[in-house]
Amino acid sequence: MRIYEGRNIRNVALIGHGGTGKTQLVSALLYTAGMVNRLGKVDDGTSVTDYDEEEIHRKVSISAALAYAEWNKAKINFLDTPGYNIFLHETEGALVAADAALVVVHAVAGVEVQTEKTWGFAEKYGLPRVLVVNQIDRDRASFERAVQALRGAFGRQVIPAQLPLGEEKSFRGVIDLVRMRAFLYEANGSGKAQDSEIPAEALDAATRAHEALVEMVAEGNDKLMEEFFDKGTIPMEDLVPGLRQAVADRRLFPVIASAGLPNIGSQTLLDFIVDYLPSPLDRGWVEGFDREGGSPVKRAVADREPVSVYIFKTVADPFAGRVSYFKVMSGILKNEMTLTNFRRGSTEKFSHIGVVQGKAQTPVAELHAGDLGAVAKLKEALTGDTLGDKSAPIVYPQVKLPEPAISFAIEPKSRGDEDKLSTAIHRMLEEDRLLRFSRDPQTKEFLISGSGQQHVEVAVSKLKRRFNIEVALKAPKVPYRETIRAKAEAQGKHKKQTGGHGQYGDCWIRMEPLPRGAGFEFVNDIFGGAIPKNFIPAVEKGIVEAAEKGFLAGYPVVDFRVILFDGSYHEVDSSEIAFKLAGSKAFKKAMEQAKPCLLEPIMNVEITVPEQYAGDIMGNLNGRRGRVQGMEPKSGSTIIKAQVPLAEMLTYASDLTSMTQGRGTYTMEYSHYDIVPQPIAEKIVAAAKAAGPAKEEEES
Ligand SMILES: Nc1nc2c(ncn2[C@@H]2O[C@H](COP(=O)(O)OP(=O)(O)OP(=O)(O)O)[C@@H](O)[C@H]2O)c(=O)[nH]1
Ligand SMILES: [Mg+2]
């Protein structure tokens, strides 16, 4: 395996709506580059990046996967991501490792919901983007229509850099609008093309598109603009770097054409990635913190820097153990190095580092700044951790995940499986950070929570396939949360100094509400050593653990900030445990004054029913505390869009069936958390209180 330097690496994420052909396209590109010896197919379960049993079975990508192609002296690392809404947290997590994105668009459907959402992710992570209009071989495909839709959605910086030659069944190649050459693909699916003259019948359109591209490249680049005004065009030797720069600056979003299944457009796409997309070094530097919660620092993406790696994905394999996928953010990672985990304080040995091709790994001696790889059997490190040279600490920011939107009670089918269940689930939580496992505060059942019913079903099915544990999935539950509406200040003091070894911990905290979705923030505002540094994490831990257990009805408290600003300690009697207890006491006291309330998930619901039922359905939604947001007719049916609390939707499937004689359908996805209205909240709190004794028991 060759060693690549950062400037010859391209880290490219494929993102976009579900079913646009991302996974198929990766397999086609790998085959074209000679990395695999057959053209893997999603439909046969032989693609390179949908290798997990669950993905093969369902024919959709569930988690992000890694693959690479060596092409023209460069190495392209592909991150194939899911496009289905309930798995999008995986997609966002993988983008941290990417330096550019291919936004894959369906040539028939054009811009879809997840096209816009994943575009938003790319925007958030500052990634240059290429739009790939894919599946041009399909009936009713139209490159031009897709481009119009893309420009409508993302603006006039969306500009074709290629045109398809033929469409639908006659799709046979692409025109490179930079070099003005045609690439005609072999019909055998090799992905290789013949470089030829543009056919006469396509020349007019190609010339117009070329001119439009040249003009867009020149715009915003003074030197090229001058040249363009002087000569009416830009010479090729300036056009290539000009386009490359415009892409890197996110000033232009080129559109190119492909079809992964018949493997048309692969060679030109591989060339495009190497020629026009930035290398990880082009970023210049990455931003992190000098320690968890510390001050911001920058680190150059360069081999000469101390080594640092960021873990962006973890796989829990029942046989191989834990496999960690990482990006080398700076320096050179050598096999057998021992690195410090800057979030956990532990050290880890990187034995057998390797590059990843779907499910296979090839060992390498070293990986340079910007490259992606994997390592097995790290002891503690998990997704979101930074490790590196202990003399140069840095912590890269973690990806913030949404809260899970739905919970189900589960029960092992055989009694003996109860212990196995919790071990297996904890392995799965390492792999999927959105999945949650808890006990219902009221019924004491095991709860598993995720982004949607299918997300939870996939988890249950993984339990069976991978860990051989069968569980029954019971009725869905609402994953309520608790939060605060007011600021509060409180002291928490834990003191036992009578006889024997004493205990002493004392802290003062301020508590403040944060916006929805912000989670928890801890601010250390201690000056002058009122609490010694080494006890401060214990205070935080006491608060975090108390918040997990809830205050009103046993649901986790979220969206608040705690500022630790004062306290006191005792030379002999202070300990971590004493400060942890002090933290938890302060939290409970502050909660009493902070106007606590319950939060519930609100769902975006889209219902399609025959016209004559629309009135009834809307009335029914009002009864469910729903807010109708729109209604549109669509060939004899009506589509109703509404936001409805999840608590009111638990039995909707069967209710809709009976209201519409089985002719209505609906989809639902998580939107946000909102405050539960007072009378309803009172009932939930009362029910939790009624189950009170059991709760105490668990706490002791
Ligand atoms: N005709 C045609 N079908 C394609 C093409 N590419 C993919 N498909 C089919 O489209 C379906 C979806 O392809 P995938 O590659 O799984 O799509 P994806 O974007 O990875 O989907 P998610 O992982 O769910 O986001 C499969 O049935 C493919 O065989 C293509 O170029 N032409
Ligand atoms: Mg896929």
Side-chain angles (χ1 to χ4, degrees), residues 112-128:
E112 297 170 88
V113 179
Q114 259 53 257
T115 319
E116 308 215 34
K117 198 143 172 190
T118 53
W119 178 274
F121 289 160
E123 195 81 39
K124 179 169 165 190
Y125 292 97
L127 297 178

Side-chain angles (χ1 to χ4, degrees), residues 23 50 61 80:
T23 303
D50 276 3
S61 303
D80 178 24

Side-chain angles (χ1 to χ4, degrees), residues 17-24 42-43 50 59-61 80-84 134-135 137-138 259-262:
H17 198 82
T20 47
K22 301 177 287 295
T23 303
Q24 183 58 49
V42 170
D43 294 336
D50 276 3
K59 296 192 169 61
V60 297
S61 303
D80 178 24
T81 69
Y84 206 46
N134 190 36
Q135 308 205 19
D137 62 307
R138 286 222 184 231
L261 196 58

Side-chain angles (χ1 to χ4, degrees), residues 15-26 41-44 47 49-50 55 58-63 80-84 87 91 104 106 134-139 171 258-264:
I15 58 177
H17 198 82
T20 47
K22 301 177 287 295
T23 303
Q24 183 58 49
L25 188 57
V26 170
K41 299 207 166 108
V42 170
D43 294 336
D44 308 338
S47 76
T49 46
D50 276 3
E55 296 179 317
R58 292 170 197 258
K59 296 192 169 61
V60 297
S61 303
I62 292 171
S63 69
D80 178 24
T81 69
Y84 206 46
F87 305 122
T91 303
V104 183
H106 198 287
N134 190 36
Q135 308 205 19
I136 294 188
D137 62 307
R138 286 222 184 231
D139 285 349
F171 180 45
S258 74
L261 196 58
N263 204 3
I264 299 172

Side-chain angles (χ1 to χ4, degrees), residues 381-556:
L382 290 178
T383 304
D385 286 3
T386 302
L387 297 94
D389 187 327
K390 71 168 183 298
S391 66
I394 187 164
V395 174
Y396 298 107
Q398 285 192 311
V399 176
K400 262 217 175 97
L401 295 178
E403 285 291 320
I406 195 163
S407 302
F408 289 79
I410 54 170
E411 191 175 32
K413 285 195 177 150
S414 60
R415 281 209 152 265
D417 278 353
E418 285 204 358
D419 293 339
K420 271 189 1 196
L421 176 67
S422 116
T423 324
I425 288 206
H426 281 101
R427 301 282 295 279
M428 284 177 35
L429 300 188
E430 293 180 359
E431 176 168 304
D432 186 340
R433 292 198 305 138
L434 186 60
L435 221 50
R436 300 288 158 82
F437 186 57
S438 58
R439 279 288 197 86
D440 187 300
Q442 292 166 22
T443 64
K444 301 294 145 214
E445 290 168 303
F446 287 115
L447 290 184
I448 182 164
S449 316
S451 57
Q453 177 155 354
Q454 266 166 303
H455 184 208
V456 171
E457 280 170 5
V458 165
V460 164
S461 149
K462 268 190 197 170
L463 274 175
K464 180 163 175 232
R465 280 174 209 262
R466 271 203 221 168
F467 298 95
N468 208 12
I469 300 169
E470 280 204 66
V471 298
L473 201 56
K474 304 211 269 178
K477 303 258 178 177
V478 181
Y480 292 107
R481 293 284 181 261
E482 300 179 10
T483 193
I484 56 170
R485 282 170 296 180
K487 293 186 180 179
E489 193 175 295
Q491 180 187 24
K493 192 164 185 173
H494 178 72
K495 184 173 166 183
K496 266 199 189 127
Q497 291 175 306
T498 45
H501 201 308
Q503 294 176 31
Y504 187 92
D506 172 28
C507 64
W508 277 91
I509 62 168
R510 265 194 292 275
M511 207 146 109
E512 307 174 350
L514 288 177
R516 280 298 81 75
F520 169 67
E521 262 180 51
F522 181 78
V523 180
N524 171 14
D525 210 5
I526 295 274
F527 286 99
I531 300 176
K533 247 193 184 147
N534 53 321
F535 292 136
I536 288 170
V539 176
E540 179 177 1
K541 203 165 175 201
I543 294 167
V544 168
E545 285 180 12
E548 280 288 302
K549 290 200 182 116
F551 179 78
L552 287 176
Y555 296 103

Side-chain angles (χ1 to χ4, degrees), residues 336-369:
E336 302 292 343
M337 261 185 174
T338 297
L339 301 186
T340 300
N341 186 330
F342 298 123
R343 289 194 64 241
R344 295 172 200 274
S346 50
T347 55
E348 299 267 12
K349 187 156 184 187
F350 279 59
S351 301
H352 310 296
I353 59 170
V355 291
V356 180
Q357 192 67 287
K359 65 177 169 206
Q361 282 166 43
T362 311
V364 288
E366 58 186 46
L367 292 167
H368 287 238

